[in-house]
Amino acid sequence: DIQMTQSPSFLSASVGDRVTINCKASQNINRYLNWYQQKLGEAPKLLIYNANSLQTGIPSRFSGSGSGTDFTLTISSLQPEDVATYFCLQHNSWPYTFGAGTKLELK
Amino acid sequence: EVQLVETGGGLVQPGRSLKLSCVASGFTFNNYWMSWTRQAPGKGLEWVASITNSGGSTYYPDSVKGRFTISRDNAQNTLYLQMNSLRSEDTATYYCTREDDYWGQGVMVTVSS
């Protein structure tokens, strides 16, 4: 199985900060990497698909980059409503596997 | 609007069975792979089953292979997850997902004596 190592596990930042979250795959997954946001008590919501494509309706402050084994989710200017846990998912090969998550809080 | 509504969760004893359902609306159901994903309390996410749009192929991780069966009824726009020989470690919120984009609100399954 492909292991997804996500970092950091916890992140505290201020409104307006640039925030980056990383996922590293244990083998090449091309660009088959999605990013999800999960707010407390809610289902995950797709933010970025195939490494760098913004899902419809998602604010442009969210962006994704990377290919192969190393991927990054960037929030260009943190907003209060971005407080959530963020997960990556590799869908290059079965079984699909998730990163452990990054809990993002406001400083 | 894409909607996925899961039902069938609850409290079940170890070793028993439970069947989850997910009714889909707002899209052409038989055009999409469907999956179940779960999240144990306070834990991360685990993809537990996928099925192709025709239902002809299914996929499971080793953790549930041989115990869980995913199926679908395209005429009824419904996805199922039959869970047998349940264990305490299967306790989780189970989400119905359309391929890898839309998720339902989830249904809680608790396996405990």
Side-chain angles (χ1 to χ4, degrees):
Chain A
D1 298 2
I2 296 175
Q3 307 303 314
M4 300 302 298
T5 302
Q6 187 171 341
S7 62
S9 301
F10 178 83
L11 186 54
S12 181
S14 301
V15 172
D17 281 355
R18 182 181 182 87
V19 169
T20 60
I21 298 170
N22 300 295
C23 264
K24 186 175 184 66
S26 61
Q27 63 191 75
N28 180 18
I29 59 170
N30 301 292
R31 290 185 177 273
Y32 295 110
L33 189 285
N34 293 354
W35 290 99
Y36 298 87
Q37 176 193 66
Q38 186 177 30
K39 296 184 178 180
L40 197 62
E42 298 183 6
K45 178 166 68 174
L46 178 64
L47 302 175
I48 302 288
Y49 63 95
N50 294 343
N52 60 6
S53 296
L54 189 68
Q55 174 71 340
T56 303
I58 301 302
S60 59
R61 65 180 179 273
F62 292 93
S63 65
S65 63
S67 65
T69 60
D70 292 286
F71 300 87
T72 300
L73 172 70
T74 300
I75 307 173
S76 60
S77 178
L78 186 67
Q79 300 301 303
E81 60 267 31
D82 300 335
V83 169
T85 299
Y86 294 82
F87 294 94
C88 63
L89 165 73
Q90 72 80 17
H91 57 106
N92 180 77
S93 59
W94 187 257
Y96 295 172
T97 46
F98 291 90
T102 296
K103 188 173 184 180
L104 175 59
E105 294 190 350
L106 284 179
K107 193 179 292 183
Chain B
E1 179 193 3
V2 173
Q3 288 200 329
L4 301 167
V5 179
E6 304 97 334
T7 57
L11 174 63
V12 61
Q13 293 179 327
R16 303 298 290 265
S17 299
L18 201 63
K19 188 172 186 176
L20 306 181
S21 299
C22 168
V23 176
S25 60
F27 63 100
T28 304
F29 185 68
N30 61 12
N31 282 353
Y32 291 87
W33 283 48
M34 297 293 296
S35 298
W36 291 95
T37 303
R38 68 184 178 184
Q39 186 171 36
K43 302 294 185 182
L45 293 156
E46 181 184 19
W47 206 280
V48 295
S50 287
I51 187 167
T52 54
N53 55 334
S54 67
S57 294
T58 57
Y59 302 86
Y60 308 94
D62 289 344
S63 58
V64 306
K65 195 175 295 182
R67 300 189 299 122
F68 289 13
T69 302
I70 188 172
S71 61
R72 64 192 296 162
D73 182 341
N74 285 344
Q76 299 294 322
N77 288 354
T78 303
L79 178 72
Y80 302 101
L81 185 68
Q82 176 68 47
M83 303 183 293
N84 298 333
S85 303
L86 282 161
R87 306 167 180 168
S88 58
E89 55 263 37
D90 297 318
T91 293
T93 297
Y94 285 74
Y95 295 99
C96 168
T97 67
R98 187 188 82 165
E99 292 193 349
D100 56 2
D101 54 9
Y102 287 94
W103 299 55
Q105 285 302 302
V107 63
M108 185 68 199
V109 172
T110 302
V111 183
S112 174
S113 54

mmCIF file of all heavy atoms in Angstrom, chain B residues 10-18 67 83-91 109-113:
data_model
loop_
_atom_site.group_PDB
_atom_site.id
_atom_site.type_symbol
_atom_site.label_atom_id
_atom_site.label_comp_id
_atom_site.label_asym_id
_atom_site.label_seq_id
_atom_site.Cartn_x
_atom_site.Cartn_y
_atom_site.Cartn_z
ATOM 1 N N GLY B 10 -25.848 2.144 13.535
ATOM 2 C CA GLY B 10 -26.369 1.863 14.865
ATOM 3 C C GLY B 10 -25.379 1.082 15.695
ATOM 4 O O GLY B 10 -24.208 0.939 15.328
ATOM 5 N N LEU B 11 -25.880 0.573 16.816
ATOM 6 C CA LEU B 11 -25.075 -0.222 17.734
ATOM 7 C C LEU B 11 -25.266 -1.703 17.422
ATOM 8 O O LEU B 11 -26.409 -2.179 17.316
ATOM 9 C CB LEU B 11 -25.510 0.066 19.178
ATOM 10 C CG LEU B 11 -24.878 -0.771 20.286
ATOM 11 C CD1 LEU B 11 -23.381 -0.528 20.355
ATOM 12 C CD2 LEU B 11 -25.547 -0.462 21.617
ATOM 13 N N VAL B 12 -24.163 -2.416 17.281
ATOM 14 C CA VAL B 12 -24.227 -3.841 16.952
ATOM 15 C C VAL B 12 -23.155 -4.573 17.751
ATOM 16 O O VAL B 12 -22.102 -4.021 18.054
ATOM 17 C CB VAL B 12 -24.050 -4.054 15.430
ATOM 18 C CG1 VAL B 12 -22.713 -3.544 14.942
ATOM 19 C CG2 VAL B 12 -24.269 -5.503 15.030
ATOM 20 N N GLN B 13 -23.451 -5.806 18.115
ATOM 21 C CA GLN B 13 -22.500 -6.601 18.893
ATOM 22 C C GLN B 13 -21.381 -7.145 18.003
ATOM 23 O O GLN B 13 -21.595 -7.384 16.802
ATOM 24 C CB GLN B 13 -23.225 -7.768 19.574
ATOM 25 C CG GLN B 13 -24.206 -7.331 20.643
ATOM 26 C CD GLN B 13 -24.913 -8.509 21.265
ATOM 27 O OE1 GLN B 13 -25.176 -9.518 20.610
ATOM 28 N NE2 GLN B 13 -25.238 -8.403 22.547
ATOM 29 N N PRO B 14 -20.223 -7.360 18.589
ATOM 30 C CA PRO B 14 -19.130 -7.975 17.806
ATOM 31 C C PRO B 14 -19.568 -9.311 17.216
ATOM 32 O O PRO B 14 -20.282 -10.088 17.870
ATOM 33 C CB PRO B 14 -18.026 -8.168 18.855
ATOM 34 C CG PRO B 14 -18.292 -7.123 19.885
ATOM 35 C CD PRO B 14 -19.781 -6.990 19.953
ATOM 36 N N GLY B 15 -19.147 -9.525 15.959
ATOM 37 C CA GLY B 15 -19.486 -10.762 15.275
ATOM 38 C C GLY B 15 -20.783 -10.713 14.490
ATOM 39 O O GLY B 15 -21.041 -11.596 13.658
ATOM 40 N N ARG B 16 -21.598 -9.673 14.750
ATOM 41 C CA ARG B 16 -22.879 -9.571 14.052
ATOM 42 C C ARG B 16 -22.712 -8.803 12.744
ATOM 43 O O ARG B 16 -21.613 -8.394 12.363
ATOM 44 C CB ARG B 16 -23.904 -8.886 14.957
ATOM 45 C CG ARG B 16 -24.115 -9.566 16.290
ATOM 46 C CD ARG B 16 -24.661 -10.971 16.140
ATOM 47 N NE ARG B 16 -26.019 -10.999 15.669
ATOM 48 C CZ ARG B 16 -27.090 -11.071 16.473
ATOM 49 N NH1 ARG B 16 -26.948 -11.079 17.776
ATOM 50 N NH2 ARG B 16 -28.298 -11.133 15.949
ATOM 51 N N SER B 17 -23.840 -8.618 12.045
ATOM 52 C CA SER B 17 -23.838 -7.978 10.729
ATOM 53 C C SER B 17 -24.667 -6.706 10.733
ATOM 54 O O SER B 17 -25.543 -6.515 11.596
ATOM 55 C CB SER B 17 -24.402 -8.945 9.676
ATOM 56 O OG SER B 17 -23.614 -10.102 9.584
ATOM 57 N N LEU B 18 -24.385 -5.875 9.751
ATOM 58 C CA LEU B 18 -25.137 -4.631 9.564
ATOM 59 C C LEU B 18 -25.046 -4.257 8.101
ATOM 60 O O LEU B 18 -24.014 -4.507 7.444
ATOM 61 C CB LEU B 18 -24.536 -3.526 10.433
ATOM 62 C CG LEU B 18 -25.382 -2.312 10.782
ATOM 63 C CD1 LEU B 18 -26.602 -2.731 11.625
ATOM 64 C CD2 LEU B 18 -24.563 -1.287 11.547
ATOM 65 N N ARG B 67 -15.053 -9.648 4.637
ATOM 66 C CA ARG B 67 -16.095 -9.354 5.640
ATOM 67 C C ARG B 67 -17.120 -8.346 5.121
ATOM 68 O O ARG B 67 -18.287 -8.420 5.468
ATOM 69 C CB ARG B 67 -15.466 -8.805 6.916
ATOM 70 C CG ARG B 67 -14.476 -9.736 7.590
ATOM 71 C CD ARG B 67 -14.057 -9.212 8.965
ATOM 72 N NE ARG B 67 -13.400 -7.923 8.891
ATOM 73 C CZ ARG B 67 -13.825 -6.820 9.529
ATOM 74 N NH1 ARG B 67 -14.911 -6.858 10.267
ATOM 75 N NH2 ARG B 67 -13.154 -5.672 9.427
ATOM 76 N N MET B 83 -21.877 -5.440 5.996
ATOM 77 C CA MET B 83 -20.746 -5.628 6.896
ATOM 78 C C MET B 83 -21.022 -6.833 7.786
ATOM 79 O O MET B 83 -21.985 -6.837 8.561
ATOM 80 C CB MET B 83 -20.543 -4.371 7.749
ATOM 81 C CG MET B 83 -20.321 -3.106 6.936
ATOM 82 S SD MET B 83 -19.988 -1.663 7.934
ATOM 83 C CE MET B 83 -21.560 -1.451 8.740
ATOM 84 N N ASN B 84 -20.190 -7.858 7.650
ATOM 85 C CA ASN B 84 -20.323 -9.080 8.435
ATOM 86 C C ASN B 84 -19.150 -9.218 9.399
ATOM 87 O O ASN B 84 -18.127 -8.552 9.250
ATOM 88 C CB ASN B 84 -20.375 -10.295 7.500
ATOM 89 C CG ASN B 84 -21.571 -10.265 6.568
ATOM 90 O OD1 ASN B 84 -22.608 -9.679 6.886
ATOM 91 N ND2 ASN B 84 -21.415 -10.875 5.412
ATOM 92 N N SER B 85 -19.320 -10.098 10.376
ATOM 93 C CA SER B 85 -18.250 -10.380 11.345
ATOM 94 C C SER B 85 -17.640 -9.092 11.890
ATOM 95 O O SER B 85 -16.414 -8.923 11.904
ATOM 96 C CB SER B 85 -17.170 -11.257 10.695
ATOM 97 O OG SER B 85 -17.709 -12.451 10.192
ATOM 98 N N LEU B 86 -18.495 -8.215 12.341
ATOM 99 C CA LEU B 86 -18.022 -6.903 12.774
ATOM 100 C C LEU B 86 -17.141 -6.988 14.013
ATOM 101 O O LEU B 86 -17.335 -7.845 14.888
ATOM 102 C CB LEU B 86 -19.220 -5.973 13.017
ATOM 103 C CG LEU B 86 -19.822 -5.412 11.720
ATOM 104 C CD1 LEU B 86 -21.232 -4.892 11.950
ATOM 105 C CD2 LEU B 86 -18.928 -4.316 11.143
ATOM 106 N N ARG B 87 -16.170 -6.099 14.052
ATOM 107 C CA ARG B 87 -15.199 -6.038 15.149
ATOM 108 C C ARG B 87 -15.262 -4.654 15.784
ATOM 109 O O ARG B 87 -15.713 -3.688 15.152
ATOM 110 C CB ARG B 87 -13.792 -6.273 14.604
ATOM 111 C CG ARG B 87 -13.622 -7.545 13.800
ATOM 112 C CD ARG B 87 -12.320 -7.536 13.041
ATOM 113 N NE ARG B 87 -12.126 -8.751 12.252
ATOM 114 C CZ ARG B 87 -11.192 -8.899 11.321
ATOM 115 N NH1 ARG B 87 -10.353 -7.898 11.069
ATOM 116 N NH2 ARG B 87 -11.086 -10.036 10.653
ATOM 117 N N SER B 88 -14.718 -4.533 16.974
ATOM 118 C CA SER B 88 -14.723 -3.235 17.650
ATOM 119 C C SER B 88 -13.979 -2.186 16.822
ATOM 120 O O SER B 88 -14.353 -1.001 16.828
ATOM 121 C CB SER B 88 -14.109 -3.361 19.039
ATOM 122 O OG SER B 88 -12.781 -3.859 18.954
ATOM 123 N N GLU B 89 -12.969 -2.624 16.102
ATOM 124 C CA GLU B 89 -12.199 -1.666 15.299
ATOM 125 C C GLU B 89 -12.934 -1.170 14.054
ATOM 126 O O GLU B 89 -12.442 -0.294 13.348
ATOM 127 C CB GLU B 89 -10.826 -2.244 14.899
ATOM 128 C CG GLU B 89 -10.880 -3.564 14.175
ATOM 129 C CD GLU B 89 -10.667 -4.749 15.100
ATOM 130 O OE1 GLU B 89 -11.154 -4.706 16.268
ATOM 131 O OE2 GLU B 89 -10.030 -5.743 14.653
ATOM 132 N N ASP B 90 -14.107 -1.734 13.797
ATOM 133 C CA ASP B 90 -14.946 -1.226 12.707
ATOM 134 C C ASP B 90 -15.817 -0.055 13.159
ATOM 135 O O ASP B 90 -16.522 0.539 12.342
ATOM 136 C CB ASP B 90 -15.843 -2.342 12.157
ATOM 137 C CG ASP B 90 -15.052 -3.477 11.535
ATOM 138 O OD1 ASP B 90 -14.076 -3.199 10.815
ATOM 139 O OD2 ASP B 90 -15.418 -4.650 11.786
ATOM 140 N N THR B 91 -15.770 0.259 14.440
ATOM 141 C CA THR B 91 -16.518 1.406 14.952
ATOM 142 C C THR B 91 -16.028 2.679 14.277
ATOM 143 O O THR B 91 -14.828 3.004 14.335
ATOM 144 C CB THR B 91 -16.353 1.529 16.475
ATOM 145 O OG1 THR B 91 -16.979 0.410 17.097
ATOM 146 C CG2 THR B 91 -16.986 2.821 16.995
ATOM 147 N N VAL B 109 -21.515 3.813 13.042
ATOM 148 C CA VAL B 109 -21.609 2.389 13.363
ATOM 149 C C VAL B 109 -20.771 2.151 14.618
ATOM 150 O O VAL B 109 -19.588 2.479 14.642
ATOM 151 C CB VAL B 109 -21.095 1.519 12.200
ATOM 152 C CG1 VAL B 109 -21.018 0.055 12.626
ATOM 153 C CG2 VAL B 109 -21.982 1.692 10.971
ATOM 154 N N THR B 110 -21.402 1.588 15.631
ATOM 155 C CA THR B 110 -20.710 1.279 16.874
ATOM 156 C C THR B 110 -20.777 -0.217 17.107
ATOM 157 O O THR B 110 -21.876 -0.789 17.169
ATOM 158 C CB THR B 110 -21.336 2.017 18.067
ATOM 159 O OG1 THR B 110 -21.309 3.426 17.828
ATOM 160 C CG2 THR B 110 -20.563 1.718 19.351
ATOM 161 N N VAL B 111 -19.604 -0.838 17.220
ATOM 162 C CA VAL B 111 -19.534 -2.275 17.465
ATOM 163 C C VAL B 111 -19.073 -2.477 18.904
ATOM 164 O O VAL B 111 -17.932 -2.199 19.260
ATOM 165 C CB VAL B 111 -18.572 -2.958 16.483
ATOM 166 C CG1 VAL B 111 -18.583 -4.473 16.719
ATOM 167 C CG2 VAL B 111 -18.951 -2.628 15.048
ATOM 168 N N SER B 112 -19.995 -2.944 19.715
ATOM 169 C CA SER B 112 -19.708 -3.089 21.142
ATOM 170 C C SER B 112 -20.694 -4.063 21.765
ATOM 171 O O SER B 112 -21.861 -4.139 21.344
ATOM 172 C CB SER B 112 -19.799 -1.733 21.839
ATOM 173 O OG SER B 112 -19.649 -1.868 23.236
ATOM 174 N N SER B 113 -20.221 -4.777 22.769
ATOM 175 C CA SER B 113 -21.100 -5.695 23.488
ATOM 176 C C SER B 113 -21.806 -4.984 24.632
ATOM 177 O O SER B 113 -22.639 -5.572 25.317
ATOM 178 C CB SER B 113 -20.301 -6.881 24.002
ATOM 179 O OG SER B 113 -19.211 -6.436 24.773
#
